[in-house]
Amino acid sequence: MTTHACHGLFVTGTDTGIGKTHVAAMIARALVAQGKRVGVYKPAASGCTRDADGNLTSDDAVQLWEAAGRPGDLEHVCPQRFAAPLAPHLAARAEGRELDFDQLRWGLDYWRPRSDVVVVEGAGGLFSPLSDDRLNMDLALALGFPLVIVAPNRLGVLHAVLATVNAAAYYNLKHVRHELKIAAVVLNQPTADDGPADPSRQSNAAVLRQALRPFKVGQFVELPYGAESFPAPIDWIAPARGERAS
Ligand SMILES: [Mg+2]
């Protein structure tokens, strides 16, 4: 099989429903605006909607595909789609199917020759399972792309970010230590500021900037609620190439 030099980012989250797809789509749009050929890949999705013909649609895949300017074929954005809102391999079993772990990896091959950079959206967080014995982290490691860690600006995020960053820096797989590069931590504001008072929202960014200093994190990005683009231009290409951001 021909391997094309193709760069990419693996977008993961500290939790589900915290704006991972939203941020992945923002990155895709920013890269398209720079004239890059952007591939988008969601290796597996659960909680998909079933139409009258029985076809499953991943809303995440559609959102990513639109953000990237509808490259290639939507079918290849997310080849493995399941209905139940469970971890993908469990959602598969709930409908009498099996998730194909190898396909999670080679599904990317469709995008390699037609993309300068591929934005991959994982399913859940680094420790979210993809099979009985494999995690999202194993897929991120296999794909070899640096991480973009999306986290919600709310109470509890300090632990969630530091746990994820530590896990990435010191991942122990079968007694071998691996280090997953971290292109960025994105502190997202997923809800409007009209809910119950959460004073941590005012301090989380500053505390995280300080706490992340010992780690090799390319960028720390803070997003206001409802942001559709990044407040300042961000170099996503350098980290996708495995370089430190300028
Ligand atoms: Mg998503």
Side-chain angles (χ1 to χ4, degrees):
M1 189 184 303
T2 316
T3 318
H4 296 263
C6 163
H7 307 297
L9 297 164
F10 189 97
V11 183
T12 189
T14 58
D15 204 344
T16 192
I18 45 88
K20 197 154 41 82
T21 309
H22 181 72
V23 170
M26 283 172 69
I27 296 172
R29 279 198 301 273
L31 287 163
V32 167
Q34 289 172 40
K36 301 296 175 191
R37 296 178 308 151
V38 181
V40 279
Y41 184 48
K42 171 100 188 168
S46 48
C48 295
T49 46
R50 198 185 293 278
D51 69 16
D53 298 326
N55 301 313
L56 288 166
T57 301
S58 160
D59 293 339
D60 284 6
V62 173
Q63 210 176 319
L64 293 171
W65 192 57
E66 297 284 353
R70 300 186 166 203
D73 180 358
L74 173 63
E75 178 63 27
H76 291 277
V77 177
C78 181
Q80 299 197 66
R81 304 183 298 277
F82 309 101
L86 297 167
H89 66 300
L90 302 178
R93 279 173 207 163
E95 55 194 85
R97 299 162 64 198
E98 277 295 322
L99 181 106
D100 183 337
F101 189 88
D102 292 331
Q103 189 186 355
L104 299 176
R105 284 197 294 175
W106 60 251
L108 184 70
D109 292 345
Y110 173 83
W111 295 104
R112 290 184 196 275
R114 47 174 58 77
S115 316
D116 300 316
V117 55
V118 182
V119 179
V120 181
E121 183 189 347
L126 289 184
F127 289 106
S128 300
L130 283 170
S131 73
D132 290 332
D133 56 2
R134 278 171 291 194
L135 309 173
N136 263 259
M137 191 135 49
D138 299 313
L139 179 62
L141 202 56
L143 297 181
F145 295 156
L147 305 175
V148 174
I149 299 168
V150 182
N153 187 7
R154 64 186 181 211
L155 189 62
V157 76
L158 305 179
H159 161 75
V161 168
L162 290 172
T164 298
V165 167
N166 268 282
Y170 307 104
Y171 182 41
N172 191 326
L173 177 64
K174 297 187 176 121
H175 310 293
V176 179
R177 184 191 153 182
H178 298 271
E179 180 185 354
L180 285 85
K181 287 193 171 148
I182 303 170
V185 171
V186 179
L187 187 63
N188 185 36
Q189 187 77 64
T191 51
D193 219 349
D194 55 4
D198 180 356
S200 84
R201 285 181 174 186
Q202 309 305 319
S203 55
N204 285 331
V207 176
L208 280 174
R209 280 179 198 276
Q210 171 84 24
L212 288 173
R213 267 184 209 158
F215 297 92
K216 289 182 244 168
V217 174
Q219 310 257 1
F220 182 85
V221 182
E222 199 184 348
L223 290 181
Y225 173 67
E228 292 293 327
S229 60
F230 294 102
I234 292 171
D235 180 3
W236 293 110
I237 291 292
R241 285 195 185 120
E243 301 159 8
R244 296 300 299 274
S246 49

